Amino acid sequence: MKRVEVLRSHIHSRPEIHFFFDVSSINSYRAHHQIEEVASQTGAEVVYQPFLLGGLFKNIMPHISYTVDTKIGKFTQYGPVPWMMRVKTPPESKLNKFQGFPAIVQMLNEREGLTNVKRPLAAGAPAIHAMRICTAAKMKGNSYARDACFAVHKMYHDDNKNVTQQMASDYLFNIDTEITPDTKQQLATDTDDALRNKNVFGTPTFIANIGSVSEQFFGVDRLPILYKFLKPDLSRHEIEKLLKLRVAPDNFSISKDQTVTVYHDIRSVWSYFIVSEIIRLKEKHGIKVVLKPVDVAKLQSRHGVNPGCTESEFKNKINYMEGEVQKWADFFGVPRPHKEKVEKSPFDRKPVEDVAGVSEYLAANPEATLSVYNEFWSSPSSSLPYEDAGTAVDAFTEEAIQLGASSVPVVSHEESQYAVQIDHFNPTALYILEDYLCGWRRTDAKQ
């Protein structure tokens, strides 16, 4: 009888969401404010896993480093150079002036109720003492780790404080624990374990376990597909409502005399998703959509953006990306991209000529964009229509550069002076755009 009870307990075991975070990330703060609600709605338990993002990057890419000068001093950061520092945005850029990546994060903060955030988004001040607080609390128990996570995020982002050793001691004294050599070693061990055994390459990262099945999700904007994993019977619309992704009501309408422009490159799987979603909005609401193919390699080169790391340097991301792409394809209801194409896309920097003719064809025949994307991504080798090289793609690329874009896709809604670079695929920005299109705004996001 006892054995039967044990087996039943295993079969119906409570799902777990392992939340890997570093408090220096504003997206970790956003995630912390939402993940407990996700757990409550799905019956899961959140397990808090602090780790050092800087330590992780130092191991992955020790040769990529830069100095950040903040009000509290200079420090060395390892890893990809932040958007603000690597993009030389023209002064006249609409992205730079109104809706660049930091402004998008600010808007998301406001939509999610994080109205007191003061920490400059590009500051990234060291958070070693804050992370030791979280580790010491975790060693005492998961509930202590949850409370510590909230407290240090508030200190760091809302109060704009660099968490000092004394502040750490004061906080831990109140919960009857302290930072010891074992605490410091545990944080180092957890960071190494996150990198080498858990496939973590950034923050926030969620690893969800249901029984023996485990899936990884990187980024707060991946909560929709995390929801879908934990509750596969939920529809897309139900998940959108649970996460409050839209401000506008279900019966909202969009004025048809609005124009959305999408700058895209067929080599980008994220362009594939965004193009399909924007065309969905066009078919649903009758808005005007202008599709402009660009050369992402030239766009990146003009901004001095490093196109990426080698496969050996960032294999964790390679291992993760294929699964995430398939999950988003299912969520958006589009054909799944071919595995071989997905594996190559972030690192296979082919000469521009390989798709130049296809891009010129799409510039001349924008109505064929989605069908050509479907064909391109559905098989490892595709026979695609093309036209002789012309000037349209170069002209569109220059337009995107003037918007301040350093990657694709870029979506621009000129009527409301709304232009957002959906860099590294930010699906939440799509919902902000949809709210703007129908005139619903929770806050006035003027700069």
Side-chain angles (χ1 to χ4, degrees):
M1 187 66 175
K2 288 184 178 179
R3 178 169 175 76
V4 172
E5 289 174 357
V6 169
L7 288 173
R8 284 177 179 168
S9 174
H10 176 72
I11 293 170
H12 299 289
S13 59
R14 186 181 182 186
E16 290 183 341
I17 304 171
H18 291 254
F19 173 28
F20 292 82
F21 68 94
D22 183 312
V23 300
S24 64
S25 163
I26 183 59
N27 287 323
S28 284
Y29 193 18
R30 288 177 55 212
H32 177 65
H33 273 262
Q34 297 182 67
I35 195 61
E36 288 289 348
E37 178 64 19
V38 173
S40 173
Q41 294 285 348
T42 59
E45 178 185 9
V46 181
V47 180
Y48 287 81
Q49 304 277 17
F51 76 101
L52 292 174
L53 184 63
L56 183 146
F57 280 152
K58 189 173 182 179
N59 277 282
I60 295 175
M61 294 168 289
H63 63 290
I64 302 179
S65 64
Y66 52 93
T67 299
V68 178
D69 191 358
T70 73
K71 292 180 180 179
I72 58 173
K74 294 184 178 181
F75 65 96
T76 300
Q77 179 77 16
Y78 293 89
V81 182
W83 191 93
M84 282 284 285
M85 300 179 69
R86 65 180 166 86
V87 178
K88 299 175 182 177
T89 308
E92 68 277 12
S93 162
K94 293 171 186 173
L95 282 180
N96 183 52
K97 193 165 66 175
F98 189 74
Q99 294 297 351
F101 174 78
I104 287 297
V105 175
Q106 180 181 340
M107 291 175 67
L108 292 170
N109 289 344
E110 291 167 340
R111 285 164 68 92
E112 293 159 13
L114 303 182
T115 55
N116 296 320
V117 173
K118 300 181 182 67
R119 171 74 66 179
L121 297 176
I128 183 68
H129 297 302
M131 297 310 296
R132 285 173 179 168
I133 289 177
C134 294
T135 301
K138 172 193 167 187
M139 294 170 72
K140 189 174 176 66
N142 191 55
S143 62
Y144 291 97
R146 180 189 62 239
D147 295 342
C149 176
F150 177 79
V152 296
H153 268 123
K154 184 179 183 303
M155 283 188 273
Y156 193 89
H157 293 285
D158 286 358
D159 302 333
N160 200 19
K161 293 179 179 177
N162 182 34
V163 180
T164 64
Q165 187 170 355
Q166 185 59 50
M167 290 168 66
S169 297
D170 292 345
Y171 178 88
L172 293 171
F173 176 80
N174 291 327
I175 62 171
D176 194 29
T177 190
E178 61 182 343
I179 293 172
T180 66
D182 286 344
T183 310
K184 298 176 183 179
Q185 181 57 50
Q186 186 65 52
L187 180 56
T189 300
D190 289 346
T191 300
D192 188 68
D193 181 64
L195 170 65
R196 304 188 191 285
N197 301 321
K198 301 297 193 301
N199 202 42
V200 172
F201 55 85
T203 180
T205 292
F206 309 99
I207 297 179
N209 302 322
I210 303 178
S212 60
V213 180
S214 180
E215 290 285 352
Q216 180 178 348
F217 304 86
F218 167 59
V220 63
D221 299 307
R222 273 55 179 176
L223 289 180
I225 53 176
L226 170 60
Y227 243 124
K228 189 68 175 175
F229 171 71
L230 293 170
K231 288 287 186 181
D233 293 337
L234 288 178
S235 68
R236 171 179 173 176
H237 181 65
E238 288 171 323
I239 292 172
E240 289 168 347
K241 290 191 74 171
L242 285 168
L243 287 171
K244 301 179 178 65
L245 293 176
R246 286 194 187 90
V247 176
D250 289 343
N251 60 348
F252 70 88
S253 61
I254 290 177
S255 172
K256 295 182 179 182
D257 59 347
Q258 299 188 76
T259 301
V260 173
T261 303
V262 183
Y263 298 89
H264 62 95
D265 189 312
I266 196 169
R267 293 168 294 184
S268 160
V269 69
W270 309 124
S271 287
Y272 173 41
F273 293 145
I274 295 301
V275 164
S276 68
E277 280 296 288
I278 295 299
I279 289 177
R280 178 187 65 81
L281 287 179
K282 175 185 177 182
E283 293 173 347
K284 181 177 179 181
H285 301 287
I287 60 173
K288 184 180 179 182
V289 171
V290 179
L291 299 171
K292 296 187 175 184
V294 301
D295 179 351
V296 68
K298 287 184 180 178
L299 191 152
Q300 291 177 332
S301 177
R302 280 285 294 274
H303 281 298
V305 178
N306 187 324
C309 312
T310 65
E311 185 169 348
S312 61
E313 290 169 323
F314 225 173
K315 20 181 168 173
N316 280 11
K317 196 163 189 177
I318 283 277
N319 294 337
Y320 167 77
M321 185 177 174
E322 182 200 337
E324 182 189 320
V325 164
Q326 309 306 346
K327 293 183 184 75
W328 279 118
D330 294 343
F331 185 81
F332 288 131
V334 299
R336 284 188 168 197
H338 193 276
K339 175 181 177 180
E340 190 174 318
K341 278 279 176 69
V342 175
E343 287 175 342
K344 287 183 176 180
S345 63
F347 303 98
D348 191 4
R349 302 290 169 179
K350 295 182 178 179
V352 171
E353 308 84 70
D354 286 356
V355 296
V358 178
S359 295
E360 289 294 343
Y361 175 84
L362 295 180
N365 303 275
E367 71 283 352
T369 299
L370 187 56
S371 62
V372 173
Y373 263 94
N374 286 337
E375 178 65 25
F376 179 81
W377 284 101
S378 65
S379 63
S381 58
S382 309
S383 178
L384 302 174
Y386 68 93
E387 290 193 4
D388 293 337
T391 60
V393 173
D394 283 345
F396 293 155
T397 302
E398 188 60 34
E399 283 183 27
I401 289 170
Q402 292 307 311
L403 272 177
S406 64
S407 188
V408 290
V410 172
V411 181
S412 175
H413 177 226
E414 295 297 333
E415 282 82 353
S416 64
Q417 293 299 301
Y418 180 82
V420 50
Q421 177 179 346
I422 309 178
D423 195 1
H424 301 300
F425 186 57
N426 180 350
T428 312
L430 282 170
Y431 296 102
I432 296 179
L433 173 63
E434 204 165 345
D435 285 337
Y436 265 77
L437 286 169
C438 65
W440 282 77
R441 298 174 65 183
R442 183 171 296 170
T443 181
D444 186 8
K446 291 181 180 179
Q447 295 294 297

